[in-house]
Amino acid sequence: MGLGPRTLEKLRRAVGRDHVVWDAYDLVIFERDASITGALPDAIVYPANAEEVAAVLEIAAEQQLPVVPRGAGTGLSGGAVTLHGGLALSLARFRRIIEIDPKGRTALVEPGVVNYDLGLEAARHGLFYAPDPSSQKACTIGGNAAENSGGPHCLYYGVTTNHILGMEVVLSDGSVHWVGGEDPDQPGLDLLGVLVGSEGTLAVITKLRVKLLPTPEAVSTLMAAFPSIESASKAVSDVIGHGIVPAALEMMDKVTIGAVEAHYKAGYPTSAGAVLLVEVDGLTESARELTAAIEQILEMDEAFEIRVAEDPAERELLWAGRKGAIGALGHIKPNYYLHDGVVPRTRLPEVLREVGRIGEHYRLPVANVFHAGDGNLHPNILFDLREKGIMKKVEKAGEEMLRACIDAGGTLSGEHGIGLEKNAFMPWIFGPDDLAAMQAVKDVLDPSGRLNPGKIFPPAGQIEPKLIARSGVASEARWW
Amino acid sequence: MAIDVRRAAVFHGPDAPSDDDLATCVHCGLCLNYCPTYRVTGLETESPRGRLYLMTQWTRGGLPFTRDLARHLDLCLGCRTCEAVCPSGVPYGRIIEHGRAELERVRKVDAKRTTATIVMRQVLKHPGRLRTLGALMRLAQAAGLTSLSAQGRQLPKLSEPFKPPAGNVARALGPTRFKVAFLTGCVMPILYARSHEASVQLLQVAGCEVHFPAAQRCCGALFAHNGDLKSARGLREHNERVFASDDYDFLVVNSAGCSSHLKDFYDGVGERTRDLFEFLAEVGLPPPRHEVRARVTYQDPCHLAHAQRIKRQPRELLSSVPGVELVEMPHADICCGSAGLYSALEPEMSRRILDEKMDSVLSVAPEQVVTANPGCQMQLEAGLKSRGRTDIPVRHAAELIAEAYF
């Protein structure tokens, strides 16, 4: 049992000598993803194809080792953190776009392909891949599928699961399977739907067939400034209430606007209490009509300034503010804890008020920048990691904000996943029967529970989350 | 495998990276796909996020220092692409320079790096010795001696070195609009005299009276990039005095690594420093006089595109020349693997990166490759030579633009 020299030798034979790393110092870099939790793996393996992944999983099965798949490590819920040690299975060598089928409008890709790179390649054929997480320039298609990632444009186009047609996966016993196929509508049980969003707890993805869409003929982006969060929230509900579903509908609050304007000069009025960014796309005619209709609704809802981007450069600038918002907040405090909760659109104002109150209570600055169209909140708690005892406060505030979402009839996560960030809160929204049903699925696909253990399902006992501490390393990681 | 976390910090000298700088990294990973060494290895230890994490451990006392770990810092090109894409504004360039300074302090002797430092200190700092070396190299090339070593083969064919005009002033063509100083630099006059001539011609066309202060020396960028901050400081202080001695409107620099270093570190002079293309785009050139027929691709020097965020200006100037067809290669702003002394110190990684670069260059079938930094120029020349494509010349973009006027 465990990871002795003989197991390491087997792993090296399976994936090549250079592709197994266990030097304690290399492991440190793998103790974290982009979340604020961490724990060390025992070794990192870098397989290059499904056969090697299968071999690694077989060895892990023999030795009863946990296995945690990892893409670019940009996840925000601790999905790639090796909570119980074992093997970190990096998919960094799966970087090939195997095929783009411009006629069938699909692509066959390896899981380590970066979301943005797929977009670039698709653009050469007049196509695009719709899910666009804010980390799209680094995150991978495999990771997106594992977390069922969203993004600003998922309001109209749907989240990742709507864009995956089929996947090659390896189960924990080392068997390789194809689920789904070339077409969106497959007969039989929707196993693909089960696997997308399973956060690496059911299978390791080794290939994906994804849907590509034709690049829209016209795109129109407008910025609208409102006196308050309330008036902007009402406008969001009204736009969607009129039966208009824009491609994207994003909101930024006063704190965010201030930070963005100080660094990007995107042209958001600093006197505004909230700014909305609305984008519509489609045929030139319909985009124009929709923009006019939206403008009218926003004006009725107290928008005091509306600017429609005149050219691609102006559109880029409007978006630069939104996409760079989180980084701009780094100038207020060096660290942030980006939370992810969902509320019914109509309850946005009251929940945002509560979020503000919680921040004040803990004396932590909070900035909101989020996908308003889906009611997908992203409160950013800003802090300095080096402040003593700060992590406990940050964690507590985050939990209360999430509770406020649930109390308003919302849910735990819009797009970041549950991971080990929120698994303890799963009983807030699922009863024992629901959780037992999910566990039954897990038991069929991963009977020994070695694939990404400690994620999604609530921990049996009270386990302290392994938050990063002052030194920047996980405070309670196994090795120490 | 137990690690003593309470061990004292490795990085604690006066030039150690600042904890405030390191704290700005939020570990989001957005830098990964932009890092040339991560792109070719797929290893997070060879990524900006990984390197920052290691430096953080060394600064805060998390991990002891080992030789193997030093490799991860050594393999960084210092291209600062990560800095340009970082949403949190991590000052990576400053951190890695300080990290390297500390590395040189704590690590045991490394023959290759020691030799490089000695050569830098003994030659680059002294304009006279540089000229002598250049003359010797020309003789060696004429006698066919340089082709005996790999490094020697990498050198471009040397012609007469660049010499400033009599009185160290070149007059404006037409009315004088600006009085500018020109950084002649250390290796540029010897390796690429034509780049300087063309740059000066363009400045004259733009209405500049160009001065070449005789006392100027190497700007110190190469020293700073390789962990010798003390020498860099000495050169900076010297040059600050030289360039402050007259009322120049601007200090114009045609080598990206140097202009970036001047802007980042030179007091007073830094604010008046302009990259050549940044300056020309700002003040404007008269309409071109000749057509220059060429299919050209432009390689962004990292210290121009990332350290100074100058990408648009050189492209606009090139496109304004009638007859020039500017074709974008994929990932034009990703490093070519030259990175100053890197190609000599880390030849294997440098070659892997250059190989990807050559695929990109050749994919757009250019007749010429242009760039704006001597290191990139040398590296690209070596790459094309290795692919047997010496028919494609690599030039400073100024040379091509100047053809439209002379």
Side-chain angles (χ1 to χ4, degrees):
Chain A
M1 270 257 304
L3 192 64
R6 286 181 53 186
T7 310
L8 283 172
E9 192 46 43
K10 274 188 188 168
L11 288 168
R12 294 173 82 176
R13 268 205 300 273
V15 299
R17 299 195 74 75
D18 294 342
H19 301 128
V20 183
V21 177
W22 69 90
D23 185 301
Y25 308 117
D26 287 307
L27 300 181
V28 165
I29 291 183
F30 265 66
E31 75 173 344
R32 284 184 63 191
D33 53 12
S35 72
I36 54 168
T37 48
L40 282 176
D42 292 314
I44 308 158
V45 287
Y46 292 91
N49 51 51
E51 291 69 44
E52 289 185 7
V53 171
V56 169
L57 286 173
E58 273 170 33
I59 296 165
E62 269 167 42
Q63 304 299 323
Q64 295 296 304
L65 285 168
V67 177
V68 181
R70 179 180 177 105
T74 54
L76 291 160
S77 59
V81 170
T82 44
L83 186 63
H84 297 290
L87 302 179
L89 193 159
S90 166
L91 294 146
R93 292 172 71 205
F94 285 74
R95 287 175 76 95
R96 275 186 317 145
I97 296 174
I98 299 163
E99 161 194 286
I100 289 198
D101 172 6
K103 283 218 177 79
R105 289 182 186 156
T106 67
L108 184 63
V109 301
E110 292 187 333
V113 168
V114 170
N115 177 303
Y116 187 75
D117 288 350
L118 174 60
L120 285 182
E121 204 52 37
R124 294 163 64 136
H125 304 277
L127 302 168
F128 76 109
Y129 177 67
D132 60 341
S134 293
S135 59
Q136 72 181 136
K137 290 191 168 174
C139 63
T140 61
I141 300 291
N144 292 170
E147 299 291 331
N148 192 15
S149 305
H153 288 84
C154 293
L155 172 62
Y156 179 79
Y157 289 102
V159 292
T160 301
T161 194
N162 304 111
H163 300 272
I164 308 257
L165 297 168
M167 299 198 297
E168 180 190 71
V169 296
V170 185
L171 298 183
S172 64
D173 62 358
S175 58
V176 184
H177 307 267
W178 254 103
V179 286
E182 305 271 315
D183 312 305
D185 194 11
Q186 293 288 315
L189 292 177
D190 183 13
L191 294 179
L192 188 63
V194 172
L195 291 174
V196 174
S198 62
E199 303 187 16
T201 62
L202 301 181
V204 179
I205 303 165
T206 49
K207 239 178 236 146
L208 306 98
R209 170 74 63 181
V210 301
K211 210 190 282 181
L212 300 175
L213 300 171
T215 313
E217 186 182 291
V219 180
S220 164
T221 307
L222 69 83
M223 183 276 304
F226 292 84
S228 64
I229 288 268
E230 280 76 10
S231 50
S233 303
K234 182 169 182 307
V236 170
S237 291
D238 286 348
V239 167
I240 296 191
H242 273 78
I244 301 171
V245 183
L249 215 180
E250 303 283 301
M251 197 191 299
M252 282 162 273
D253 70 357
K254 200 169 180 62
V255 179
T256 312
I257 296 166
V260 165
E261 279 307 303
H263 296 279
Y264 288 93
K265 312 237 173 331
Y268 309 153
T270 43
S271 60
V275 154
L276 288 184
L277 216 53
V278 192
E279 187 159 286
V280 293
D281 60 21
L283 298 172
T284 312
E285 275 302 301
S286 68
R288 196 181 302 138
E289 277 170 28
L290 272 181
T291 309
I294 291 169
E295 271 188 82
Q296 217 171 17
I297 298 168
L298 298 181
E299 265 163 23
M300 277 172 18
D301 281 323
E302 298 176 61
F304 66 83
E305 187 179 329
I306 295 179
R307 221 173 75 213
V308 182
E310 299 280 342
D311 51 45
E314 198 178 349
R315 181 164 76 239
E316 190 115 318
L317 190 62
L318 286 178
W319 274 110
R322 163 66 183 91
K323 291 191 174 162
I326 308 258
L329 291 170
H331 298 274
I332 299 177
K333 290 273 180 184
N335 301 92
Y336 62 81
Y337 180 24
L338 176 59
H339 234 300
D340 173 37
V342 182
V343 295
R345 268 186 302 272
T346 48
R347 309 283 295 268
L348 276 174
E350 60 182 285
V351 176
L352 285 168
R353 259 198 306 278
E354 181 61 12
V355 163
R357 192 200 60 75
I358 295 166
E360 269 164 37
H361 176 78
Y362 288 98
R363 301 221 185 98
L364 291 165
V366 179
N368 288 285
V369 41
F370 58 100
H371 315 312
D374 318 288
N376 187 180
L377 285 187
H378 285 324
N380 266 285
I381 305 171
L382 310 173
F383 63 99
D384 187 338
L385 188 58
R386 295 167 296 173
E387 233 171 87
K388 211 170 163 7
I390 191 90
M391 290 310 291
K392 284 277 168 234
K393 268 166 64 177
V394 170
E395 192 198 346
K396 202 85 192 84
E399 181 179 335
E400 285 181 25
M401 288 174 190
L402 215 48
R403 187 73 239 184
C405 291
I406 307 292
D407 290 345
T411 190
L412 279 179
S413 168
E415 55 189 9
H416 295 175
I418 299 298
L420 53 83
E421 182 195 20
K422 298 172 185 169
N423 55 348
F425 312 141
M426 284 288 270
W428 290 356
I429 51 170
F430 294 109
D433 292 351
D434 303 322
L435 290 168
M438 287 186 217
Q439 186 66 51
V441 174
K442 164 87 174 165
D443 290 345
V444 170
L445 291 164
D446 178 26
S448 56
R450 287 176 303 94
L451 274 178
N452 211 357
K455 310 294 170 66
I456 300 184
F457 296 97
Q462 197 56 34
I463 294 180
E464 282 286 298
K466 296 169 194 300
L467 295 172
I468 46 169
R470 189 175 177 278
S471 70
V473 295
S475 57
E476 290 155 45
R478 285 155 44 86
W479 291 98
W480 296 308
Chain B
M1 239 198 266
I3 301 164
D4 182 2
V5 280
R6 284 166 299 281
R7 200 184 160 106
V10 178
F11 282 1
H12 56 73
D15 285 329
S18 96
D19 196 52
D20 282 341
D21 279 354
L22 287 165
T24 53
C25 175
V26 296
H27 221 253
C28 68
L30 288 193
C31 50
L32 294 179
N33 202 34
Y34 290 89
C35 175
T37 55
Y38 178 78
R39 289 174 68 91
V40 300
T41 61
L43 299 172
E44 289 203 34
T45 38
E46 314 311 341
S47 76
R49 176 167 76 174
R51 292 180 180 119
L52 285 166
Y53 210 51
L54 287 179
M55 285 191 274
T56 305
Q57 312 301 325
W58 288 340
T59 304
R60 295 181 188 168
L63 282 178
F65 177 81
T66 75
R67 223 189 164 109
D68 287 348
L69 285 185
R71 288 292 303 147
H72 303 312
L73 292 201
D74 287 342
L75 279 178
C76 169
L77 295 145
C79 70
R80 296 170 67 180
T81 315
C82 52
E83 194 173 324
V85 299
C86 174
S88 296
V90 174
Y92 186 86
R94 185 161 69 212
I95 294 173
I96 191 76
E97 279 183 6
H98 284 266
R100 287 194 161 141
E102 276 299 273
L103 204 56
E104 295 317 314
R105 196 179 60 77
V106 295
R107 86 157 120 211
K108 303 242 165 41
V109 179
D110 171 326
K112 217 173 184 182
R113 284 174 190 277
T114 310
T115 315
T117 309
I118 291 171
V119 171
M120 281 200 306
R121 287 189 188 151
Q122 294 304 318
V123 182
L124 290 191
K125 277 193 200 171
H126 308 282
R129 291 182 196 168
L130 256 169
R131 277 195 295 275
T132 312
L133 183 70
L136 286 173
M137 291 304 294
R138 272 199 307 286
L139 278 175
Q141 278 189 340
L145 293 175
T146 49
S147 55
L148 297 177
S149 78
Q151 257 93 17
R153 279 194 298 274
Q154 274 211 2
L155 276 183
K157 175 90 184 71
L158 298 180
S159 48
E160 275 296 303
F162 173 81
K163 281 203 195 67
N168 289 329
V169 184
R171 303 277 165 220
L173 297 173
T176 305
R177 298 164 67 201
F178 305 99
K179 178 177 172 183
V180 305
F182 189 79
L183 181 82
T184 42
C186 46
V187 295
M188 280 280 278
I190 297 164
L191 292 178
Y192 294 113
R194 180 62 204 138
S195 305
H196 270 8
E197 286 158 15
S199 303
V200 174
Q201 284 175 333
L202 287 176
L203 287 171
Q204 290 175 292
V205 171
C208 297
E209 184 179 286
V210 190
H211 292 250
F212 305 84
Q216 62 170 303
R217 291 202 201 159
C218 164
C219 71
L222 268 184
F223 293 88
H225 297 162
N226 290 283
D228 187 357
L229 292 180
K230 190 162 163 269
S231 297
R233 269 195 288 272
L235 288 163
R236 167 170 62 83
E237 282 161 15
H238 170 83
N239 285 326
E240 276 170 2
R241 279 194 299 276
V242 171
F243 289 112
S245 64
D246 205 344
D247 56 341
Y248 307 117
D249 299 323
F250 297 102
L251 169 57
V252 180
V253 184
N254 66 348
S255 153
C258 307
S259 50
S260 146
H261 183 72
L262 289 166
K263 286 181 181 179
D264 282 354
F265 295 101
Y266 276 46
D267 280 332
V269 180
E271 293 108 68
R272 284 182 290 136
T273 299
R274 296 286 183 278
D275 169 76
L276 176 72
F277 299 124
E278 173 189 28
F279 178 76
L280 292 175
E282 208 172 291
V283 304
L285 279 169
R289 286 189 216 126
H290 315 291
E291 195 183 57
V292 184
R293 290 214 153 273
R295 184 179 162 86
V296 187
T297 194
Y298 173 74
Q299 161 70 29
D300 285 290
C302 295
H303 278 88
L304 202 55
H306 310 306
Q308 302 178 62
R309 320 282 156 98
I310 296 173
K311 293 167 87 166
R312 176 179 54 81
Q313 297 91 324
R315 288 178 169 80
E316 281 177 5
L317 288 162
L318 284 164
S319 306
S320 72
V321 176
V324 165
E325 183 195 352
L326 184 64
V327 282
E328 276 297 315
M329 69 174 106
H331 307 296
D333 62 352
I334 294 274
C335 185
C336 63
S338 163
L341 298 181
Y342 189 92
S343 54
L345 294 171
E346 302 293 347
E348 199 213 318
M349 183 65 79
S350 172
R351 244 193 322 271
R352 284 170 75 180
I353 294 167
L354 178 59
D355 230 28
E356 283 208 347
K357 179 57 67 183
M358 282 305 116
D359 290 341
S360 306
V361 167
L362 295 173
S363 76
V364 295
E367 291 161 4
Q368 293 186 25
V369 181
V370 290
T371 184
N373 188 61
C376 317
Q377 194 171 342
M378 241 195 307
Q379 175 87 344
L380 293 166
E381 278 168 357
L384 285 166
K385 202 166 166 185
S386 73
R387 296 284 179 102
R389 294 303 305 269
T390 43
D391 58 309
I392 305 176
V394 185
R395 309 162 80 195
H396 194 290
E399 296 175 45
L400 190 147
I401 300 166
E403 278 179 21
Y405 295 92
F406 293 93

